[in-house]
Amino acid sequence: MAPRVLVVDRSASTRDTVAELLGDLASEVVWVTRDGAGAQLRAGIAAGSPYDVVILDAEPAPTPAIVRELVTLGGGVRIVLAAAGADAAALAARAGVSDVVARPFNTAELAFRIGRAAAATERADKRRPRKSDVLIGTGPWIKDMYDRIAMVAATDVTVAIFGESGTGKELVARTIHNSSPRHDAPFVVVNCAAIPEPLLEDELFGHVRGAFTDASRDREGLLAAAHTGTLFLDEIGEMPMALQAKVLRVLQSQEFRRIGDDADRRVDVRIITATNRDLDALVAAGNFRQDLYYRINVFPMHLPPLRERPEDIALLVHHFVQKYRAKLGRPIDSVSPAALARFAAYDFPGNVRELENKVHQAMVVCTGTTIEEADIALPQPRAQTVRPDVDRPFRELKQEAIDAFEQRYLTELLRVHHGNLARAARAAGMDRKNLWALVERHGLDRAQFKKP
Ligand SMILES: Nc1ncnc2c1ncn2[C@@H]1O[C@H](COP(=O)(O)OP(=O)(O)OP(=O)(O)O)[C@@H](O)[C@H]1O
Ligand SMILES: [Mg+2]
């Protein structure tokens, strides 16, 4: 496929020049200013059609930080610097990019540079986040998250990810790894809660032959397997104290010792940890080493629970529909408003993982091309636990709460009475006309509740 090209330039007319010169050699050419470039790259990934090449205006001279951020947000996209004059190569070197194209553009050179960059991106594609593995969200938290990922991706800083179960901790860890210079090396996951305590040390550090009765040969541990890559210590709060000391040593000196060995070994790994536990409390209770806590908590990242960002639900539902469509081989392409309202009204104690499972289940049950409310298996919505946003006017918030309640109430009422307005009105103790008006206002389609 011809590459998708993003032109990041002062002038919109550059897009037309590039599009005209490249012709069929680009499947799409989009223009954006430098301020909007990060968001545009992210949107491309979120939409499942990432850009393959960025043509970056050399003026004002981009810093390596800017270039790194674009590469990160574009999931490893190749940058080609568009520069005029004799010092183009020097400019590129200073910005940390290896591809340059001379301005003014000519077809032959532009086509060659773009083709070569796109091929490089494609080769690297294995390590780009697959579109089903992309971190999705709409609120300010996601922008902040991507900013923080961009900040640490290029470094070896130890990252600690906090969040309830199912909030995307592993996905964030993978995104950091995939955006880092270590992306071609392994990303190794060790779940400290899933491995029984006596085995965990062996898993992590390995052993030498004869170290214990079953040790009939040397075994490399997962730490060695992660050499030059990233080690993801999941559920670090569950790690036994004795092992914590050994992990601390790795963090301090990159050294460890296999079980039964008499010499130390060195590794080059970047460590990312995650936990849904309150490490402060564990430290206070004497169940987690304070020195290890300080070592891992260099760059904390906190993932908000899904109930604190209900605005993400609709986006995530559509994302998972796309993700499972192909896997299930089902032509499902939409979600009815009532079904979406049902998802939105639930508070998801299991967070995104639970939402993903519910969407998956609904798709298995669904017989048409639209997920209906009846396809969804969710417990009755619990009372609202979301903290009110006291920065917004009371009237507005109250109206939202009323709207949400009405929507839920009407949906359930119509479901129970199979869309029969007269019976629904009687049951609700409401005037039929008023009920009808309310149903209309909420855009509910009575036909959807009729018995098949
Ligand atoms: N913001 C998001 N956008 C898209 N998918 C997400 C997002 N957050 C989580 N997911 C998906 O939800 C599922 C659970 O995420 P993940 O395994 O990263 O969570 P976790 O915090 O590690 O959970 P646990 O504590 O249960 O191990 C994964 O399939 C992941 O891809
Ligand atoms: Mg996890």
Side-chain angles (χ1 to χ4, degrees):
M1 248 257 296
R4 301 186 74 226
V5 177
L6 183 66
V7 176
V8 179
D9 204 278
R10 287 157 289 174
S11 154
S13 64
T14 307
R15 191 219 85 95
D16 298 338
T17 312
V18 169
E20 197 175 307
L21 292 175
L22 287 177
D24 290 346
L25 297 174
S27 65
E28 190 173 2
V29 182
V30 172
W31 168 79
V32 71
T33 61
R34 200 178 281 178
D35 285 341
Q40 188 68 31
L41 288 166
R42 217 153 53 199
I45 290 183
S49 41
Y51 289 95
D52 300 292
V53 181
V54 168
I55 301 182
L56 178 62
D57 194 352
E59 254 175 65
T63 62
I66 290 173
V67 169
R68 255 198 325 266
E69 181 169 355
L70 294 180
V71 172
T72 305
L73 295 178
V77 66
R78 278 301 268 229
I79 312 275
V80 179
L81 196 70
D87 57 351
L91 245 173
R94 246 174 284 138
V97 291
S98 51
D99 300 286
V100 200
V101 60
R103 281 187 116 133
F105 303 125
N106 72 72
T107 309
E109 191 198 352
L110 189 64
F112 170 71
R113 304 281 183 203
I114 296 300
R116 195 174 62 170
T121 304
E122 204 170 305
R123 269 199 305 283
D125 220 41
K126 293 189 293 309
R127 63 166 164 89
R128 297 182 83 188
R130 273 174 288 136
K131 62 186 177 191
S132 61
D133 289 344
V134 162
L135 201 59
I136 305 272
T138 61
W141 80 271
I142 191 88
K143 183 183 177 304
D144 185 54
M145 193 55 63
Y146 272 111
D147 287 348
R148 291 180 70 76
I149 290 172
M151 252 183 251
V152 282
T155 72
D156 277 341
V157 166
T158 305
V159 176
I161 306 172
F162 299 93
E164 289 178 13
S165 177
T167 45
K169 296 185 293 295
E170 182 164 345
L171 184 57
V172 168
R174 275 183 201 281
T175 307
I176 294 172
H177 172 77
N178 288 337
S179 316
S180 80
R182 297 174 177 267
H183 55 70
D184 282 330
F187 176 82
V188 175
V189 180
V190 179
N191 187 331
C192 306
I195 304 170
E197 184 170 335
L199 292 185
L200 189 55
E201 180 173 5
D202 190 30
E203 278 291 311
L204 211 46
F205 299 107
H207 61 247
V208 293
R209 186 172 163 216
F212 42 85
T213 339
D214 295 343
S216 55
R217 63 177 68 163
D218 286 5
R219 178 171 186 270
E220 296 295 334
L222 292 173
L223 189 58
H227 185 56
T228 71
T230 304
L231 181 71
F232 178 50
L233 292 176
D234 203 1
E235 315 283 4
I236 185 135
E238 317 302 321
M239 182 175 280
M241 292 292 268
L243 216 49
Q244 289 179 23
K246 297 185 178 169
V247 169
L248 179 64
R249 179 154 180 252
V250 176
L251 280 164
Q252 283 169 335
S253 62
Q254 305 270 42
E255 281 175 353
F256 70 101
R257 195 175 278 203
R258 293 183 295 179
I259 301 174
D261 204 350
D262 48 18
D264 289 334
R265 314 193 128 211
R266 288 188 76 83
V267 271
D268 167 21
V269 289
R270 194 247 184 100
I271 292 186
I272 301 181
T273 67
T275 183
N276 56 15
R277 304 281 300 267
D278 178 352
L279 287 186
D280 277 316
L282 288 181
V283 169
N287 291 322
F288 200 86
R289 292 181 67 113
Q290 182 147 44
D291 46 8
L292 179 61
Y293 180 39
Y294 289 146
R295 269 285 169 176
I296 62 174
N297 202 25
V298 183
F299 194 88
M301 293 176 91
H302 294 270
L303 282 167
L306 189 53
R307 63 181 170 281
E308 283 176 14
R309 43 180 165 110
E311 65 280 6
D312 286 349
I313 289 182
L315 208 63
L316 286 164
V317 168
H318 288 294
H319 171 68
F320 293 132
V321 168
Q322 295 306 320
K323 175 170 170 181
Y324 288 109
R325 245 168 80 91
K327 278 192 193 157
L328 292 169
R330 305 286 287 280
I332 298 168
D333 59 7
S334 58
V335 184
S336 79
L340 262 188
R342 188 66 199 281
F343 279 125
Y346 184 61
D347 68 355
F348 292 102
N351 294 296
V352 184
R353 181 192 304 289
E354 185 180 9
L355 175 65
E356 178 169 0
N357 290 340
K358 296 299 177 191
V359 172
H360 187 186
Q361 279 175 16
M363 290 177 76
V364 171
V365 174
C366 177
T367 50
T369 57
T370 301
I371 296 183
E372 303 291 350
E373 202 197 355
D375 300 330
I376 302 171
L378 274 183
Q380 281 310 310
R382 292 202 211 150
Q384 284 279 331
T385 51
V386 183
R387 265 191 237 147
D389 177 1
V390 291
D391 292 335
R392 293 179 47 207
F394 169 74
R395 276 228 317 225
E396 219 176 280
L397 290 171
K398 184 170 163 190
Q399 191 55 48
E400 274 180 20
I402 294 174
D403 285 344
F405 163 73
E406 286 180 353
Q407 174 97 20
R408 261 185 306 160
Y409 178 82
L410 294 173
T411 305
E412 180 61 12
L413 186 70
L414 291 174
R415 188 185 69 77
V416 169
H417 296 285
H418 305 295
N420 183 323
L421 216 51
R423 275 200 312 194
R426 218 173 307 131
M430 271 176 92
D431 178 54
R432 208 185 122 159
K433 266 206 224 107
N434 289 345
L435 178 60
W436 183 81
L438 208 54
V439 167
E440 287 290 297
R441 191 158 75 75
H442 281 279
L444 294 170
D445 178 9
R446 276 194 296 134
Q448 284 194 349
F449 301 96
K450 291 250 157 69
K451 259 195 261 185

